[in-house]
């Protein structure tokens, strides 16, 4: 299948993906696959204005009806799963299975959001005053800007958009400039769905901003964008947070992870090996939840590492479009350089590195294929505190579970974490208030691959936002506390007397 | 009762309130009542360090046991209600009834927090994978800095502290430099309570920072203060938000309000008048929820305003320590000047002003007593978009409920609001997603005087934070999403296949 | 369209609806439309055994996957909406619009249940003991018997079944012997859906029991039917409750209603008239939520009743399959006799009756068409305490809202209720703890036509069960409270000391 | 301290505990300690009438204010903890530590209920119709009858009463005829508290019915008792359920338990032994959560049993008023006979019994002291399916965890359960939908001694009720689903069209 056919199967027309100034290269072989028109500042301003107009209308559409739109979106995504999954693979380089998984995640969150659309529960609350009723309700908030990263080009948008739309908020999507094609393809699906839905879906409910960073900054700067949900690096997150603080706007930040696994003495090593490999090399180490640090009990370390290096040595590297591939390319040369530098630093900090280095150079001279690396470190050194977006897995030893947790929590990021252990005392300790300080903490599964039913995100440098399941939807609504006096008296709270 | 006796009855010793460099004046008559030592930067650093040490211990104390500490605090506050209430009055100038009400609010939130201490509910969640359990738990977050304003010198601290302590977070309190005495008095109560509680209350669980703005900035700058909850002006809030954004810290902001009441055609005017007077002149117009704007149906306007101006003319102004007083002083001369300027601007914008101007000048030459003012405005002019912390009530007319809501929402602040109407179509519209854009929206009661059972706070320039009831406690904890695999299989979410 | 074609379009084959001993007559014209085989006791026993076997398998299928089955059911119902809606009309006699509405309700609850399937939230709870975690989880309960009534032949089954299946419970459906055809048609859809779903849908997940009352009694008597959810009359409910009490089984009862509307002085009479007519004559007065009692303010009574009687006089009575019909037939002659007797009793109790009496006798001599009746009563007499399943609307006057509420609550049933008033003091009072004692209480809409997002059911003789939305799903699961000790200590709750 | 002094210290006067026809004997030595007047049927009827009158008033008192009454009750119980705890010991024979624990449980639930009093959360719900609001609120339900058993004479009452009172429901308490004194003592405390609370506590908010079974039957028979919460035996529960079914009343049943512990291969045997001893012999085996069955992995069985029998042999048996006693008496001779018969049956079913038999016969000839027994059984025989209210612990072996769970669930009761294992695969399986079928399932703690924060109760013959924490409070309120139309349109749910 030609690249062009992949684009066309995903619903894009030649006119849409050619002739513009933004060159899109596939990491599969580095070739240019599209040249997109970018939005100007004034077009972006018009999008914001359009979205606010849409908001006025959309907030009056009952939430269960808004849910129906998302149900139709889910249905359409089911139909387009293969086509869209393949485009994900082409554009960001993750293997096709993961491309499909990403679309499945979109579908799952749609199902979840449809159910939510008849809930959006606030509370009725006991009032201390006779003849008074108290309650809280959740109302649509306003326009929601969604800034996404290249590594998950579509799912995080959908986590945000499915909830935002059900909550009554129009969405403006600023995808990574590296992966705008999937965004355009999804946008076309959305437009088709809106048409099917009928007249009460206003114009400009879904919009995409194609372009560079300054378009994202426009979203964070504008008073007319009530919420900005951003996925990306910690520096990007700080910039967004700073811009939003100036105007006291609301953010949902999902930034970097530096995710670890503790492998305890009682761990099922067979399962641990499989989990480690998938978590560390899946998406070529470019998931925000990628496993980056291995904290291994000293008495199993010497069993585990050889099994891992052996497994690593057999992993099929290749085009992510090929069925047997498990490791596709990095997104670009810059990523490969960062990996190389990190490996150098690891070595200089005393590490012994297995693997690493460029792969398939002959076959794909313009792409960034690498051998995944395992770096055995004498202790948790400086490089291990950084998130390098590449398949490098650092390993250190520990003696006691308390020590393991201390190592675990000593990095600035706080996204995901896990322990492999069959000992409930260790596992519950890890999940307790003195255990992992991450937003996600798993037992006997890797740190990546969250289900959409839970809230996704983490504290510390990860930014504190939560997306997807649980009550993450509250991030897209405004809460209102109501007290209704239906008596003919006017008692004050706290029993204050004030007689005029 | 001498001022010194009020201080002593509230538990402070002469040594504690004399000899320092921070002069505290009572707004009652402007006299100096205390001179407190201020904390140095290094003392403040030591407080932060101490609080973090306390955190390590306190987070391991079971929450219901933490609740017991707050129960004891509530009991002690019950005993000290009168003494503390009087000190509130002396230090911030609100009338004694309101001083008592503020302490009652502390007591109420303690009761609420005790109940919470056996809840702090997370969720168990259905997992999509066989042999997997999913759940979310809430864990202690870290040290909580609480920055409070002069107008509510103790209650907002307690909203924060009662929850924070139950949630496992030590508290460092930076009170307004205008009202440090009440903070010291409460701190002594806390210390007494900790002693009674016994050994598992660590040192430095409760601390107070006496001094100027730079101490607050220390809290916002420090990575070791996990949460900063701040009550105050919008500019202060922006500064806090900006500092916290740099380090991706968590804020709970409760900033300004520009609270309005819609008085509809069907309103019970008798009740409305009483509600307006209390809401507009209570605490001499210095509540964040003070009623500042009156949006009156054109056909009742001419009945309402004369009743109001008449009621205003009879309100007893005087020392807030006197039983009959309903209007005490402003906090200081600066506040009085701000009021005067606002009135001037109102006039220049076409307003007709009733009342206003200095009061009791002979009796209290060094204090800032004022006559409350009603400003009839031709439309919602510029001055009405600002929050002037003084008893000025602006009044405008409206014709349709939609117009009234539009006027209502046209200001940048979003704290509190209300409608007086007996027509359910109007009241429910006002409470709906197209109604009031405030965090608090009431029917047939004024905008001030919230019960602690609801979440308190608002959107827009009010800063987005929520304190007190409902699930505001989540602001003091970190959420952790857990997936536990207790099977011997390793299925991936979203059905991804990745076989090594 | 012939009746036979309606059956066939709904997916039934001649072999399925002919040749049996249970004669099914359509209330449209009284003709026999089917003769179904009834299940024997031993077949019913086998169904129970099969369902329990299915339970063992189904409870291990993850809930979100169970939700997928219900999603597919919803999709299939969307496709079959018209066909199934027409069969509902044919078999129970409600007009086609209402037949469609009933299928739509099935679809809605499916959407809702899909969302639930990733929730089924229990709680994680703060424990009072160090090193302990406390939580509650909800587990599948067992086989769920669903007994339904003729008037809603399919929707209540789906309220129960969609939730039960998502909760992990196989369903055995005992439809009314008057409406088994719709049940068979739905069963065929379910079987098709299970096939599409694949192997992890066990045999006997959905089953239907065709026959008389003794089959229902088998369900209530069997220890192997964990839950019986029954919709029907109060005497039926008492019988079910008594049987289940003997074996301490769980019931969900939705029994009779004697639903009233208070029409207040401030009511929008235009809206009230429309609401009354739909609520009182829709489904020919055979909804459990049918409006049966009108409690009218004495000062609007004389305006309201003539408008009602006028509206009544123009309502098109006829075949429910005809598009213009608003009033179809009663289910059978017995129902018509009950109506006649009730009218006689109303007269003997001082009532003035408008309407009533047989209709369309010439056209449909074997059917039970009636003129809807309004009975003006001098006070709430004996007949008004009974639920007569027919379109009789009793009207009485009141003077004060308190009196109206007292009349309202004086009947033994407690299902649905409403008030028409624009005065928020009245409406909130009606919704308060001293207002309506019904499970459903509405404002400015009739008592019938609940959305599926709320819990449906009521107290008193209505039986106390809740179905459909909110947390009604808990009725289909068992709650388990867990305390996990992951420490090496063994502290007792309540601080008990017991040292061995 | 004389028995009479214990009664007097608990606040009872001689006049109150002498001269009546109901003889109360202390199980400590079998002596008569009181002779109480019993209530006549007409007095009981008057109590019901009084309670209903109280209901009309109490339901209008705001819930947080109702909570204040319970707060005062908690305070008073704190003061009376020792006095009341000692009376519990005297009257029901449990050791003083457990008597104190029972009062502590009362205090804990009071704290919890106070917090609840500002919650009692219903939901606001998204409506499918424009201009409509949907919500659910919880209202006071009516009079709550509480029937308690001798073994927990006060705590279960308080679980019910603290919630019921906060929920707005007056309480009528029918204590066991074996333990009416503690009820009277608590009643006096309640009356004192009501007086302190002031006028808005109506007469007859708390009442006690002293007498035999027919008084309980009066509660279950009366339409005017909205809720009956009963703790006791399965036959009692069936009778209550049957009576209530006749009138479709609401029950909360907490009946028998036949609680087991699985001791797995990986169990910490040291902890298991301590947990077993407390759970099996605490309260002399007369807790509803007493450990009755031990399901031990075959490879640890031979280590465990000898340690247990050794521990059993050293347990101090004696007066529960003595500080060192761990095993007090059974309630009466009947209980001792039942124990003897059960042991005989166990032997006849192949069991080897350690211990058992009368103890301290010389010292307490009229009391029922026994040696606790361990019965090693060849398999789970007939006697193991019964709950014998005495300290008999049956032990059987298992090979696989699946087998252990099957044995575990094979009894008719479903109250409490636990597993001792450090293997998370076993523990999570035990807590999963295919694990324990009990309402309570613990890990590494015994089956008894629940914290009040969780819901207490179980399925199957245990009766299905839930008391205490989580959302058990809903059992004391009625739920009302509201839809409010504030538009001028009248759309029907499910999109039905019905134009008149």
């Amino acid at each position: 299948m030609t690249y062009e056919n992949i684009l066309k199967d995903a619903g894009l027309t030649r006119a849409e993906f050619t002739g513009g100034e933004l060159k899109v290269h596939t990491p599969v072989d580095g070739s240019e696959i599209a040249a997109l028109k970018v939005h100007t500042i004034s077009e972006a301003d018009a999008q914001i204005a359009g979205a606010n107009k849409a908001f006025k209308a959309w907030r009056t559409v009952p939430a269960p009806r808004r849910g129906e739109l998302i149900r139709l979106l889910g249905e359409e995504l089911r139909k387009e799963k293969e086509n869209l999954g393949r485009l994900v693979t082409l554009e960001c380089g993750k293997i096709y299975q993961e491309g499909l998984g990403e679309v499945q995640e979109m579908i799952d969150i749609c199902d979840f959001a449809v159910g939510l659309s008849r809930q959006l529960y606030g509370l009725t609350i006991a009032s201390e005053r006779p003849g008074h009723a108290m309650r809280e309700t959740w109302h649509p908030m306003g326009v929601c800007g969604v800034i996404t990263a290249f590594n998950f080009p579509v799912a995080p948008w959908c986590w945000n958009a499915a909830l935002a739309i059900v909550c009554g908020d129009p969405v403006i999507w600023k995808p990574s400039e590296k992966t705008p094609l999937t965004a355009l393809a999804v946008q076309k699906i959305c437009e088709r769905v809106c048409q099917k839905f009928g007249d009460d879906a206003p114009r400009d409910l879904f919009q995409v901003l194609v372009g560079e960073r300054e378009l994202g900054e426009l979203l964070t700067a504008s008073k007319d964008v009530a919420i900005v949900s951003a996925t990306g690096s910690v520096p990007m997150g700080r910039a967004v947070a700073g811009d939003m603080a100036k105007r006291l706007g609301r953010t949902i930040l999902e930034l970097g992870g530096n995710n670890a696994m503790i492998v305890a003495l009682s761990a099922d090593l067979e399962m641990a090996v499989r989990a480690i490999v998938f978590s560390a090399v899946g998406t070529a180490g470019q998931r925000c939840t990628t496993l980056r640090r291995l904290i291994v009990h000293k008495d199993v370390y010497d069993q585990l590492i050889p099994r891992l290096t052996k497994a690593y040595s057999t992993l099929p590297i290749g085009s992510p479009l090929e069925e047997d591939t498990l490791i596709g390319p990095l997104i670009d040369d810059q990523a490969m350089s960062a990996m190389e530098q990190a490996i150098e630093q690891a070595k200089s900090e005393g590490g012994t590195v297995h693997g690493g280095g460029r792969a398939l150079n002959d076959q794909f001279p313009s792409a960034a294929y690498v051998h995944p690396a395992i770096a055995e470190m004498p202790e948790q050194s400086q490089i291990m505190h950084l998130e390098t977006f590449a398949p490098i897995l650092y390993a250190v030893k520990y003696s006691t579970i308390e020590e393991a947790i201390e190592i675990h929590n000593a990095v600035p990021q706080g996204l995901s974490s896990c322990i492999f252990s069959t000992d409930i005392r260790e596992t519950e300790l890890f999940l307790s208030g003195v255990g992992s300080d991450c937003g996600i903490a798993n037992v006997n599964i890797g740190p990546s691959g969250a289900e959409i039913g839970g809230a996704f995100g983490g504290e510390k440098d990860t930014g504190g936002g939560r997306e997807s399941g649980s009550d993450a939807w509250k991030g897209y609504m405004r809460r209102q506390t109501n007290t209704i006096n239906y008596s003919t008296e006017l008692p004050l709270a706290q029993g204050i007397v004030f007689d005029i």
Side-chain angles (χ1 to χ4, degrees), chain A:
Chain A
M1 190 181 285
T2 67
Y3 295 165
E4 185 163 334
N5 281 348
I6 291 176
L7 270 62
K8 287 183 174 165
D9 284 355
L12 300 174
T13 64
R14 260 198 79 78
E16 287 167 334
F17 60 75
T18 55
E21 56 274 37
L22 179 67
K23 311 297 184 191
V24 184
H25 298 82
T26 172
V28 173
D29 61 8
S31 63
E32 183 181 315
I33 53 174
L36 300 185
K37 290 172 206 72
V38 301
H39 286 99
T40 62
I41 294 291
S42 72
E43 284 170 338
D45 283 336
Q47 284 203 9
I48 294 174
N52 275 283
K53 196 171 162 201
F55 174 63
K56 298 273 186 195
W58 190 236
R59 65 178 178 169
T60 71
V61 174
R65 178 95 181 105
R66 299 193 300 244
E68 173 65 8
L69 179 65
I70 294 301
R71 192 188 67 80
L72 293 173
L73 175 59
E75 291 305 291
E76 202 65 23
L77 288 169
R78 276 184 171 87
K79 279 187 216 148
E80 300 296 331
K81 182 172 174 181
E82 284 73 21
N83 290 330
L84 191 54
R86 196 168 288 111
L87 182 59
V88 167
T89 289
L90 179 67
E91 195 178 29
C92 84
K94 61 176 60 175
I95 63 172
Y96 182 48
Q97 270 294 322
E98 292 190 293
L100 292 177
E102 208 178 328
V103 183
Q104 186 59 47
E105 212 161 330
M106 300 174 82
I107 295 167
D108 290 349
I109 193 74
C110 286
D111 285 357
F112 184 80
V114 173
L116 269 185
S117 75
R118 287 185 182 270
Q119 302 183 332
L120 301 178
Y121 294 144
L123 299 174
T124 60
I125 302 174
S127 167
E128 73 192 44
R129 287 174 278 193
H132 284 59
M134 191 155 56
R135 66 185 71 114
E136 88 182 2
T137 45
W138 290 88
H139 293 314
M141 178 79 186
V143 174
C144 179
V146 180
I147 299 174
T148 57
F150 78 87
N151 62 325
F152 272 87
V154 289
W157 170 81
C158 206
W159 295 348
N160 283 283
L163 296 190
I165 291 296
V166 157
C167 291
D169 303 340
V171 173
I172 301 177
W173 183 4
K174 165 66 185 71
S176 166
E177 56 271 29
K178 297 176 184 170
T179 53
L181 289 168
T182 37
L184 288 185
V186 170
Q187 173 67 11
K188 292 195 78 172
I189 291 174
C190 292
E191 284 166 8
R192 199 154 69 230
V193 164
C194 283
Q195 201 141 23
K196 194 167 169 189
F197 181 73
D199 285 347
D200 48 4
R203 262 180 69 93
D204 297 334
L205 199 51
F206 295 95
Q207 296 179 98
V208 173
L209 273 180
V210 174
E212 304 282 342
R213 182 184 174 122
E214 69 271 17
L215 295 180
E217 287 167 352
L218 203 83
L219 296 178
T220 55
S222 170
K223 265 271 177 202
D224 292 328
V225 179
I227 307 161
V228 172
S229 175
T231 305
S233 68
V234 174
M236 182 279 287
R238 279 193 226 280
V240 168
D243 284 358
M244 298 296 279
K246 281 179 208 149
R247 59 178 181 95
L248 294 165
R250 189 188 293 183
T251 57
I252 301 171
L253 299 178
E254 200 275 276
L255 311 176
N258 189 354
N259 319 291
M261 179 191 291
I262 294 173
V263 182
L265 193 51
S266 66
D268 179 326
L269 287 190
E270 167 63 26
M271 278 175 68
V273 166
R274 287 167 51 216
I276 291 165
V277 173
F278 174 70
S279 311
V281 310
T283 323
Q286 297 171 113
R287 290 186 167 214
C288 46
T289 54
T290 287
L291 177 63
R292 307 199 179 282
R293 297 180 296 138
L294 215 48
I295 304 166
V296 188
H297 191 279
K298 63 184 170 53
D299 295 343
V300 291
Y301 187 91
D302 290 340
Q303 298 167 59
L304 181 67
I305 302 297
R307 290 171 73 163
L308 279 178
T309 52
K310 190 175 160 207
Y312 264 52
S313 69
T314 65
L315 292 170
I317 304 173
S319 164
L321 291 163
E322 300 298 323
E323 204 177 321
D324 294 336
T325 299
L326 291 182
I327 306 187
L330 292 179
I331 186 69
D332 55 20
D333 279 354
Q334 207 178 335
M336 191 157 53
S337 302
M339 181 176 176
E340 283 161 1
Q341 285 167 29
I343 287 176
E344 282 317 299
Q345 185 173 344
K347 286 178 181 167
S348 76
E349 287 172 1
T352 305
V353 178
H354 310 267
R358 187 157 198 155
L360 307 181
N361 201 9
D362 294 349
Q363 193 182 346
F364 300 111
S366 303
Y369 290 84
V370 294
H371 294 281
I374 295 174
E376 297 187 72
M377 304 302 290
E379 63 181 353
Q380 185 161 278
S381 68
Q382 205 46 46
I383 188 66
M384 289 180 67
H385 291 70
L386 302 179
E387 179 190 31
T388 303
F389 233 52
I392 310 175
L393 179 64
Y394 304 97
V396 293
K397 292 181 191 172
Y398 78 89
S399 296
T400 67
I401 183 68
E402 289 75 16
E403 184 197 355
I405 291 172
E406 201 179 329
I407 295 169
H408 181 276
N409 290 351
V411 301
Q413 305 86 351
L415 183 53
S416 190
S417 63
C418 63
I419 189 169
F420 267 72
S421 165
T422 56
D423 182 341
I424 193 176
R425 285 172 176 165
E426 287 183 340
T427 59
E428 288 283 341
L429 187 75
F430 182 73
L431 303 182
S432 78
V434 299
S436 164
D437 63 1
C438 287
I440 298 170
N442 295 335
V443 173
N444 295 332
I445 62 170
S448 65
E451 297 183 23
I452 60 91
F456 184 91
E459 307 305 327
K460 302 188 351 187
D461 277 4
T462 299
R466 289 298 185 283
E467 292 165 327
S468 201
S470 183
D471 67 352
W473 60 269
K474 291 180 181 172
Y476 306 88
M477 303 199 87
R478 62 185 175 90
R479 181 204 305 249
Q480 191 174 76
T481 305
N482 304 136
T483 307
I484 292 91
N485 178 7
Y486 58 94
S487 76
T488 53
E489 304 295 317
L490 206 68
L492 301 179
Q494 295 92 44
I496 293 175
V497 176
F498 190 97
D499 287 329
I500 61 168

